């Protein structure tokens, strides 16, 4: 059992309580609640469903939403349309005209008449020039066959194109600039002579590299049938030739500068 407060104990005992606290807004809140309270119960509806009078019986289309009658506006038609309709009625039994009239500005386009006018004004198409060079009748285009001297009749035929002249000028200019840079870079530097020890170390290194390449060259198969083997053999021979030239250059001169 829960413990009751003193006020609840007094209420259960039946004694009247006159000194209970009430807010000063009690009456205003009560009136607002009663005024906002709906007479219709939110769960069960009306206690008694109100019936309609016999005069308010269900009529046809009474449940549909009645649209407001919009004022009808007369469509303004152009004068050309009206004149064309009147002319078509009058000339329905007349003979068709052989001449073609130029179309006037109208609200609707006559595409058939426009196509006819375009076909009349279109220039004549020249047929493609073709050639047959065998007895079976095989046809080739004459312009693409090479029989027409199309390129030899040009003004620049047989002349060097201008872009090749520009490439040559750029190459010559870059070579001149490179020479100027080399001369300016090494002008103030004096050439240094290799000592005997340095010359000996360089020769030993070159000979060692030559022996390594020569051993690889001797291990190659005798029958070089594939492109990979042929390229490998050519590359080894090229490297051995370069090393041999360097060895001969150092051994042939007593003083070597760098």
């Amino acid at each position: 059992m829960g413990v009751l407060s003193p006020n609840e104990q007094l209420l259960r005992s039946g004694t009247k309580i006159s000194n209970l606290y009430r807010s000063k807004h009690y009456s205003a809140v009560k009136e607002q609640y009663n005024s906002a309270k709906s007479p219709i119960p939110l769960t069960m509806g009306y206690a008694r469903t109100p019936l309609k009078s016999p005069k308010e019986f269900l009529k046809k289309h009474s449940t549909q939403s009645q649209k407001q009658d919009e004022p009808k506006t007369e469509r303004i038609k152009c004068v050309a349309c009206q004149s064309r309709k009147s002319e078509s009625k009058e000339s329905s039994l007349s003979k068709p005209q052989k001449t073609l009239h130029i179309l006037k500005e109208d609200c609707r386009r006559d595409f058939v008449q426009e196509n006819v006018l375009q076909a009349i004004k279109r220039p004549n198409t020249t047929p493609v020039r073709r050639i047959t060079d065998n007895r079976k009748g095989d046809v080739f285009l004459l312009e693409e066959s090479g029989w027409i001297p199309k390129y030899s009749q040009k003004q620049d035929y047989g002349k060097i194109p201008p872009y090749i002249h520009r490439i040559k000028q750029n190459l010559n200019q870059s070579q001149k600039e490179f020479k100027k840079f080399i001369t300016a870079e090494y002008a103030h530097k004096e050439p240094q002579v290799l000592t005997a020890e340095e010359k000996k170390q360089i020769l030993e290194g070159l000979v060692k590299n030559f022996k390594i390449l020569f051993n690889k060259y001797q291990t190659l198969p005798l029958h070089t049938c594939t492109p990979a083997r042929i390229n490998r053999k050519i590359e080894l021979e090229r490297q051995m030739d370069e090393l041999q030239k360097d060895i001969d250059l150092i051994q042939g001169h007593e003083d070597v500068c760098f």
Side-chain angles (χ1 to χ4, degrees), residues 7-44:
N7 291 333
E8 289 177 351
Q9 291 176 3
L10 290 172
L11 287 171
R12 289 197 175 186
S13 63
T15 57
K16 294 182 179 180
I17 301 170
S18 60
N19 296 327
L20 285 175
Y21 170 77
R22 282 192 177 183
S23 175
K24 61 181 180 179
H25 304 291
Y26 174 77
S27 59
V29 171
K30 188 175 181 181
E31 288 177 2
Q32 185 179 0
Y33 174 73
N34 292 329
S35 64
K37 191 175 181 181
S38 176
I40 304 170
L42 298 177
T43 56
M44 302 300 293

mmCIF file of all heavy atoms in Angstrom, residues 7-44:
data_model
loop_
_atom_site.group_PDB
_atom_site.id
_atom_site.type_symbol
_atom_site.label_atom_id
_atom_site.label_comp_id
_atom_site.label_asym_id
_atom_site.label_seq_id
_atom_site.Cartn_x
_atom_site.Cartn_y
_atom_site.Cartn_z
ATOM 1 N N ASN A 7 -3.834 15.627 2.606
ATOM 2 C CA ASN A 7 -5.044 16.105 1.920
ATOM 3 C C ASN A 7 -5.881 14.938 1.411
ATOM 4 O O ASN A 7 -7.112 14.958 1.463
ATOM 5 C CB ASN A 7 -4.657 17.009 0.761
ATOM 6 C CG ASN A 7 -4.059 18.327 1.242
ATOM 7 O OD1 ASN A 7 -4.387 18.775 2.357
ATOM 8 N ND2 ASN A 7 -3.201 18.930 0.426
ATOM 9 N N GLU A 8 -5.217 13.914 0.861
ATOM 10 C CA GLU A 8 -5.961 12.744 0.372
ATOM 11 C C GLU A 8 -6.634 12.010 1.530
ATOM 12 O O GLU A 8 -7.753 11.505 1.389
ATOM 13 C CB GLU A 8 -4.999 11.803 -0.371
ATOM 14 C CG GLU A 8 -4.522 12.359 -1.706
ATOM 15 C CD GLU A 8 -3.533 11.436 -2.370
ATOM 16 O OE1 GLU A 8 -3.111 10.461 -1.706
ATOM 17 O OE2 GLU A 8 -3.181 11.671 -3.550
ATOM 18 N N GLN A 9 -5.958 11.952 2.659
ATOM 19 C CA GLN A 9 -6.588 11.306 3.840
ATOM 20 C C GLN A 9 -7.838 12.060 4.281
ATOM 21 O O GLN A 9 -8.869 11.462 4.616
ATOM 22 C CB GLN A 9 -5.574 11.230 4.988
ATOM 23 C CG GLN A 9 -4.427 10.246 4.723
ATOM 24 C CD GLN A 9 -3.403 10.269 5.836
ATOM 25 O OE1 GLN A 9 -3.579 10.978 6.841
ATOM 26 N NE2 GLN A 9 -2.336 9.476 5.668
ATOM 27 N N LEU A 10 -7.789 13.402 4.238
ATOM 28 C CA LEU A 10 -8.969 14.198 4.616
ATOM 29 C C LEU A 10 -10.094 14.006 3.613
ATOM 30 O O LEU A 10 -11.271 13.939 3.978
ATOM 31 C CB LEU A 10 -8.587 15.665 4.708
ATOM 32 C CG LEU A 10 -7.668 16.061 5.898
ATOM 33 C CD1 LEU A 10 -7.202 17.499 5.752
ATOM 34 C CD2 LEU A 10 -8.407 15.871 7.227
ATOM 35 N N LEU A 11 -9.762 13.954 2.314
ATOM 36 C CA LEU A 11 -10.804 13.772 1.292
ATOM 37 C C LEU A 11 -11.477 12.421 1.435
ATOM 38 O O LEU A 11 -12.690 12.275 1.263
ATOM 39 C CB LEU A 11 -10.188 13.905 -0.104
ATOM 40 C CG LEU A 11 -9.793 15.339 -0.530
ATOM 41 C CD1 LEU A 11 -9.008 15.308 -1.808
ATOM 42 C CD2 LEU A 11 -11.047 16.201 -0.690
ATOM 43 N N ARG A 12 -10.702 11.370 1.710
ATOM 44 C CA ARG A 12 -11.288 10.037 1.873
ATOM 45 C C ARG A 12 -12.141 9.948 3.131
ATOM 46 O O ARG A 12 -13.136 9.222 3.170
ATOM 47 C CB ARG A 12 -10.181 8.994 1.919
ATOM 48 C CG ARG A 12 -9.517 8.806 0.564
ATOM 49 C CD ARG A 12 -8.743 7.519 0.519
ATOM 50 N NE ARG A 12 -8.217 7.285 -0.807
ATOM 51 C CZ ARG A 12 -7.597 6.171 -1.178
ATOM 52 N NH1 ARG A 12 -7.438 5.189 -0.305
ATOM 53 N NH2 ARG A 12 -7.145 6.020 -2.412
ATOM 54 N N SER A 13 -11.736 10.681 4.154
ATOM 55 C CA SER A 13 -12.534 10.651 5.395
ATOM 56 C C SER A 13 -13.851 11.392 5.260
ATOM 57 O O SER A 13 -14.787 11.186 6.035
ATOM 58 C CB SER A 13 -11.718 11.234 6.554
ATOM 59 O OG SER A 13 -11.423 12.599 6.274
ATOM 60 N N GLY A 14 -14.020 12.296 4.298
ATOM 61 C CA GLY A 14 -15.280 12.996 4.052
ATOM 62 C C GLY A 14 -15.335 14.367 4.664
ATOM 63 O O GLY A 14 -16.370 15.050 4.567
ATOM 64 N N THR A 15 -14.278 14.818 5.285
ATOM 65 C CA THR A 15 -14.265 16.145 5.895
ATOM 66 C C THR A 15 -14.093 17.202 4.823
ATOM 67 O O THR A 15 -13.450 16.976 3.793
ATOM 68 C CB THR A 15 -13.112 16.244 6.897
ATOM 69 O OG1 THR A 15 -11.900 15.956 6.204
ATOM 70 C CG2 THR A 15 -13.308 15.302 8.043
ATOM 71 N N LYS A 16 -14.727 18.363 5.001
ATOM 72 C CA LYS A 16 -14.655 19.456 4.062
ATOM 73 C C LYS A 16 -13.367 20.232 4.270
ATOM 74 O O LYS A 16 -12.953 20.501 5.391
ATOM 75 C CB LYS A 16 -15.851 20.389 4.218
ATOM 76 C CG LYS A 16 -17.158 19.736 3.845
ATOM 77 C CD LYS A 16 -18.294 20.738 3.967
ATOM 78 C CE LYS A 16 -19.615 20.096 3.560
ATOM 79 N NZ LYS A 16 -20.755 21.054 3.675
ATOM 80 N N ILE A 17 -12.765 20.631 3.163
ATOM 81 C CA ILE A 17 -11.508 21.376 3.207
ATOM 82 C C ILE A 17 -11.785 22.754 2.628
ATOM 83 O O ILE A 17 -12.166 22.882 1.452
ATOM 84 C CB ILE A 17 -10.407 20.666 2.432
ATOM 85 C CG1 ILE A 17 -10.158 19.268 3.002
ATOM 86 C CG2 ILE A 17 -9.114 21.471 2.484
ATOM 87 C CD1 ILE A 17 -9.265 18.425 2.176
ATOM 88 N N SER A 18 -11.705 23.768 3.416
ATOM 89 C CA SER A 18 -12.005 25.136 2.948
ATOM 90 C C SER A 18 -10.747 25.921 2.620
ATOM 91 O O SER A 18 -10.801 26.881 1.852
ATOM 92 C CB SER A 18 -12.807 25.890 4.014
ATOM 93 O OG SER A 18 -12.057 25.967 5.217
ATOM 94 N N ASN A 19 -9.641 25.542 3.177
ATOM 95 C CA ASN A 19 -8.413 26.319 3.017
ATOM 96 C C ASN A 19 -7.462 25.692 1.987
ATOM 97 O O ASN A 19 -6.253 25.783 2.128
ATOM 98 C CB ASN A 19 -7.686 26.436 4.352
ATOM 99 C CG ASN A 19 -8.502 27.214 5.370
ATOM 100 O OD1 ASN A 19 -9.239 28.137 4.994
ATOM 101 N ND2 ASN A 19 -8.370 26.851 6.639
ATOM 102 N N LEU A 20 -8.002 25.035 0.905
ATOM 103 C CA LEU A 20 -7.130 24.511 -0.158
ATOM 104 C C LEU A 20 -6.637 25.658 -1.042
ATOM 105 O O LEU A 20 -7.343 26.649 -1.256
ATOM 106 C CB LEU A 20 -7.877 23.497 -1.020
ATOM 107 C CG LEU A 20 -8.124 22.119 -0.420
ATOM 108 C CD1 LEU A 20 -8.984 21.294 -1.351
ATOM 109 C CD2 LEU A 20 -6.797 21.409 -0.182
ATOM 110 N N TYR A 21 -5.390 25.496 -1.601
ATOM 111 C CA TYR A 21 -4.809 26.544 -2.453
ATOM 112 C C TYR A 21 -5.407 26.453 -3.847
ATOM 113 O O TYR A 21 -5.514 25.370 -4.431
ATOM 114 C CB TYR A 21 -3.292 26.373 -2.527
ATOM 115 C CG TYR A 21 -2.654 27.264 -3.572
ATOM 116 C CD1 TYR A 21 -2.469 28.620 -3.312
ATOM 117 C CD2 TYR A 21 -2.269 26.754 -4.813
ATOM 118 C CE1 TYR A 21 -1.902 29.447 -4.259
ATOM 119 C CE2 TYR A 21 -1.709 27.579 -5.766
ATOM 120 C CZ TYR A 21 -1.526 28.933 -5.485
ATOM 121 O OH TYR A 21 -0.977 29.756 -6.434
ATOM 122 N N ARG A 22 -5.827 27.597 -4.349
ATOM 123 C CA ARG A 22 -6.315 27.714 -5.709
ATOM 124 C C ARG A 22 -5.618 28.886 -6.375
ATOM 125 O O ARG A 22 -5.479 29.946 -5.768
ATOM 126 C CB ARG A 22 -7.836 27.935 -5.731
ATOM 127 C CG ARG A 22 -8.618 26.684 -5.493
ATOM 128 C CD ARG A 22 -10.068 26.895 -5.805
ATOM 129 N NE ARG A 22 -10.833 25.679 -5.647
ATOM 130 C CZ ARG A 22 -12.138 25.578 -5.911
ATOM 131 N NH1 ARG A 22 -12.792 26.626 -6.342
ATOM 132 N NH2 ARG A 22 -12.746 24.418 -5.760
ATOM 133 N N SER A 23 -5.220 28.671 -7.630
ATOM 134 C CA SER A 23 -4.553 29.728 -8.387
ATOM 135 C C SER A 23 -5.541 30.818 -8.761
ATOM 136 O O SER A 23 -6.757 30.578 -8.876
ATOM 137 C CB SER A 23 -3.915 29.143 -9.653
ATOM 138 O OG SER A 23 -3.373 30.171 -10.443
ATOM 139 N N LYS A 24 -5.037 31.986 -8.958
ATOM 140 C CA LYS A 24 -5.903 33.107 -9.342
ATOM 141 C C LYS A 24 -6.370 32.977 -10.801
ATOM 142 O O LYS A 24 -7.294 33.655 -11.227
ATOM 143 C CB LYS A 24 -5.170 34.434 -9.148
ATOM 144 C CG LYS A 24 -3.905 34.576 -9.990
ATOM 145 C CD LYS A 24 -3.237 35.901 -9.709
ATOM 146 C CE LYS A 24 -1.970 36.056 -10.556
ATOM 147 N NZ LYS A 24 -1.302 37.371 -10.300
ATOM 148 N N HIS A 25 -5.697 32.127 -11.564
ATOM 149 C CA HIS A 25 -6.083 31.911 -12.962
ATOM 150 C C HIS A 25 -7.019 30.702 -13.113
ATOM 151 O O HIS A 25 -7.247 30.259 -14.234
ATOM 152 C CB HIS A 25 -4.815 31.674 -13.812
ATOM 153 C CG HIS A 25 -3.797 32.772 -13.717
ATOM 154 N ND1 HIS A 25 -4.006 34.022 -14.236
ATOM 155 C CD2 HIS A 25 -2.568 32.800 -13.127
ATOM 156 C CE1 HIS A 25 -2.954 34.792 -14.001
ATOM 157 N NE2 HIS A 25 -2.060 34.060 -13.312
ATOM 158 N N TYR A 26 -7.530 30.169 -12.026
ATOM 159 C CA TYR A 26 -8.343 28.952 -12.101
ATOM 160 C C TYR A 26 -9.612 29.186 -12.898
ATOM 161 O O TYR A 26 -9.970 28.406 -13.787
ATOM 162 C CB TYR A 26 -8.675 28.479 -10.680
ATOM 163 C CG TYR A 26 -9.616 27.308 -10.630
ATOM 164 C CD1 TYR A 26 -9.161 26.026 -10.900
ATOM 165 C CD2 TYR A 26 -10.979 27.486 -10.312
ATOM 166 C CE1 TYR A 26 -10.024 24.949 -10.856
ATOM 167 C CE2 TYR A 26 -11.841 26.411 -10.277
ATOM 168 C CZ TYR A 26 -11.360 25.138 -10.545
ATOM 169 O OH TYR A 26 -12.220 24.073 -10.499
ATOM 170 N N SER A 27 -10.318 30.285 -12.608
ATOM 171 C CA SER A 27 -11.592 30.560 -13.292
ATOM 172 C C SER A 27 -11.384 30.825 -14.779
ATOM 173 O O SER A 27 -12.153 30.366 -15.632
ATOM 174 C CB SER A 27 -12.290 31.748 -12.619
ATOM 175 O OG SER A 27 -11.438 32.890 -12.689
ATOM 176 N N ALA A 28 -10.292 31.567 -15.126
ATOM 177 C CA ALA A 28 -10.041 31.874 -16.536
ATOM 178 C C ALA A 28 -9.694 30.617 -17.328
ATOM 179 O O ALA A 28 -10.170 30.408 -18.448
ATOM 180 C CB ALA A 28 -8.897 32.888 -16.639
ATOM 181 N N VAL A 29 -8.921 29.742 -16.719
ATOM 182 C CA VAL A 29 -8.551 28.498 -17.403
ATOM 183 C C VAL A 29 -9.757 27.600 -17.580
ATOM 184 O O VAL A 29 -9.945 26.942 -18.618
ATOM 185 C CB VAL A 29 -7.434 27.783 -16.623
ATOM 186 C CG1 VAL A 29 -7.172 26.389 -17.185
ATOM 187 C CG2 VAL A 29 -6.155 28.591 -16.659
ATOM 188 N N LYS A 30 -10.643 27.569 -16.605
ATOM 189 C CA LYS A 30 -11.835 26.725 -16.684
ATOM 190 C C LYS A 30 -12.774 27.208 -17.780
ATOM 191 O O LYS A 30 -13.306 26.406 -18.571
ATOM 192 C CB LYS A 30 -12.538 26.711 -15.334
ATOM 193 C CG LYS A 30 -13.676 25.719 -15.252
ATOM 194 C CD LYS A 30 -14.250 25.675 -13.836
ATOM 195 C CE LYS A 30 -15.374 24.645 -13.760
ATOM 196 N NZ LYS A 30 -15.979 24.595 -12.397
ATOM 197 N N GLU A 31 -12.968 28.543 -17.867
ATOM 198 C CA GLU A 31 -13.825 29.089 -18.920
ATOM 199 C C GLU A 31 -13.238 28.823 -20.305
ATOM 200 O O GLU A 31 -13.944 28.474 -21.255
ATOM 201 C CB GLU A 31 -13.999 30.592 -18.693
ATOM 202 C CG GLU A 31 -14.874 30.934 -17.505
ATOM 203 C CD GLU A 31 -14.959 32.438 -17.293
ATOM 204 O OE1 GLU A 31 -14.343 33.157 -18.119
ATOM 205 O OE2 GLU A 31 -15.626 32.869 -16.338
ATOM 206 N N GLN A 32 -11.903 28.990 -20.433
ATOM 207 C CA GLN A 32 -11.261 28.737 -21.720
ATOM 208 C C GLN A 32 -11.389 27.263 -22.127
ATOM 209 O O GLN A 32 -11.616 26.940 -23.292
ATOM 210 C CB GLN A 32 -9.785 29.146 -21.649
ATOM 211 C CG GLN A 32 -9.043 29.032 -22.995
ATOM 212 C CD GLN A 32 -7.594 29.467 -22.868
ATOM 213 O OE1 GLN A 32 -7.153 29.840 -21.785
ATOM 214 N NE2 GLN A 32 -6.876 29.423 -23.971
ATOM 215 N N TYR A 33 -11.258 26.360 -21.192
ATOM 216 C CA TYR A 33 -11.378 24.929 -21.486
ATOM 217 C C TYR A 33 -12.792 24.575 -21.911
ATOM 218 O O TYR A 33 -13.010 23.832 -22.870
ATOM 219 C CB TYR A 33 -10.967 24.126 -20.256
ATOM 220 C CG TYR A 33 -11.178 22.639 -20.403
ATOM 221 C CD1 TYR A 33 -10.342 21.866 -21.215
ATOM 222 C CD2 TYR A 33 -12.231 22.005 -19.738
ATOM 223 C CE1 TYR A 33 -10.556 20.513 -21.355
ATOM 224 C CE2 TYR A 33 -12.446 20.651 -19.873
ATOM 225 C CZ TYR A 33 -11.591 19.909 -20.685
ATOM 226 O OH TYR A 33 -11.802 18.558 -20.828
ATOM 227 N N ASN A 34 -13.791 25.126 -21.208
ATOM 228 C CA ASN A 34 -15.188 24.833 -21.548
ATOM 229 C C ASN A 34 -15.583 25.436 -22.886
ATOM 230 O O ASN A 34 -16.388 24.871 -23.629
ATOM 231 C CB ASN A 34 -16.107 25.337 -20.443
ATOM 232 C CG ASN A 34 -15.943 24.542 -19.158
ATOM 233 O OD1 ASN A 34 -15.629 23.349 -19.204
ATOM 234 N ND2 ASN A 34 -16.134 25.176 -18.001
ATOM 235 N N SER A 35 -15.023 26.630 -23.202
ATOM 236 C CA SER A 35 -15.367 27.250 -24.486
ATOM 237 C C SER A 35 -14.735 26.491 -25.654
ATOM 238 O O SER A 35 -15.330 26.378 -26.728
ATOM 239 C CB SER A 35 -14.911 28.714 -24.494
ATOM 240 O OG SER A 35 -13.494 28.775 -24.393
ATOM 241 N N ALA A 36 -13.537 25.986 -25.457
ATOM 242 C CA ALA A 36 -12.854 25.249 -26.543
ATOM 243 C C ALA A 36 -13.305 23.812 -26.646
ATOM 244 O O ALA A 36 -12.989 23.125 -27.607
ATOM 245 C CB ALA A 36 -11.342 25.279 -26.315
ATOM 246 N N LYS A 37 -14.071 23.337 -25.712
ATOM 247 C CA LYS A 37 -14.499 21.947 -25.717
ATOM 248 C C LYS A 37 -15.579 21.743 -26.767
ATOM 249 O O LYS A 37 -16.557 22.486 -26.815
ATOM 250 C CB LYS A 37 -15.012 21.557 -24.341
ATOM 251 C CG LYS A 37 -15.235 20.075 -24.163
ATOM 252 C CD LYS A 37 -15.621 19.769 -22.725
ATOM 253 C CE LYS A 37 -15.834 18.265 -22.532
ATOM 254 N NZ LYS A 37 -16.232 17.952 -21.144
ATOM 255 N N SER A 38 -15.414 20.756 -27.601
ATOM 256 C CA SER A 38 -16.364 20.480 -28.679
ATOM 257 C C SER A 38 -17.545 19.699 -28.125
ATOM 258 O O SER A 38 -17.383 18.812 -27.277
ATOM 259 C CB SER A 38 -15.681 19.674 -29.778
ATOM 260 O OG SER A 38 -16.598 19.331 -30.783
ATOM 261 N N PRO A 39 -18.773 20.056 -28.609
ATOM 262 C CA PRO A 39 -19.929 19.274 -28.143
ATOM 263 C C PRO A 39 -19.944 17.854 -28.675
ATOM 264 O O PRO A 39 -20.590 16.971 -28.135
ATOM 265 C CB PRO A 39 -21.119 20.074 -28.667
ATOM 266 C CG PRO A 39 -20.590 20.775 -29.868
ATOM 267 C CD PRO A 39 -19.169 21.115 -29.520
ATOM 268 N N ILE A 40 -19.184 17.627 -29.789
ATOM 269 C CA ILE A 40 -19.156 16.284 -30.380
ATOM 270 C C ILE A 40 -18.057 15.483 -29.703
ATOM 271 O O ILE A 40 -16.911 15.924 -29.642
ATOM 272 C CB ILE A 40 -18.888 16.359 -31.889
ATOM 273 C CG1 ILE A 40 -19.928 17.260 -32.572
ATOM 274 C CG2 ILE A 40 -18.871 14.979 -32.518
ATOM 275 C CD1 ILE A 40 -19.601 17.584 -33.999
ATOM 276 N N PRO A 41 -18.328 14.342 -29.186
ATOM 277 C CA PRO A 41 -17.271 13.517 -28.591
ATOM 278 C C PRO A 41 -16.267 13.091 -29.666
ATOM 279 O O PRO A 41 -16.637 12.774 -30.795
ATOM 280 C CB PRO A 41 -18.016 12.334 -28.001
ATOM 281 C CG PRO A 41 -19.416 12.769 -27.894
ATOM 282 C CD PRO A 41 -19.670 13.763 -28.952
ATOM 283 N N LEU A 42 -15.019 13.068 -29.315
ATOM 284 C CA LEU A 42 -13.974 12.756 -30.288
ATOM 285 C C LEU A 42 -13.859 11.266 -30.555
ATOM 286 O O LEU A 42 -13.180 10.864 -31.486
ATOM 287 C CB LEU A 42 -12.627 13.289 -29.786
ATOM 288 C CG LEU A 42 -12.539 14.810 -29.606
ATOM 289 C CD1 LEU A 42 -11.180 15.190 -29.048
ATOM 290 C CD2 LEU A 42 -12.777 15.528 -30.927
ATOM 291 N N THR A 43 -14.469 10.435 -29.751
ATOM 292 C CA THR A 43 -14.317 8.997 -29.911
ATOM 293 C C THR A 43 -15.578 8.328 -30.441
ATOM 294 O O THR A 43 -15.538 7.576 -31.398
ATOM 295 C CB THR A 43 -13.952 8.366 -28.574
ATOM 296 O OG1 THR A 43 -14.946 8.721 -27.604
ATOM 297 C CG2 THR A 43 -12.598 8.859 -28.115
ATOM 298 N N MET A 44 -16.723 8.607 -29.902
ATOM 299 C CA MET A 44 -17.950 7.883 -30.224
ATOM 300 C C MET A 44 -18.890 8.640 -31.142
ATOM 301 O O MET A 44 -19.884 8.100 -31.586
ATOM 302 C CB MET A 44 -18.702 7.529 -28.932
ATOM 303 C CG MET A 44 -17.889 6.692 -27.961
ATOM 304 S SD MET A 44 -17.374 5.115 -28.649
ATOM 305 C CE MET A 44 -18.930 4.299 -28.808
#
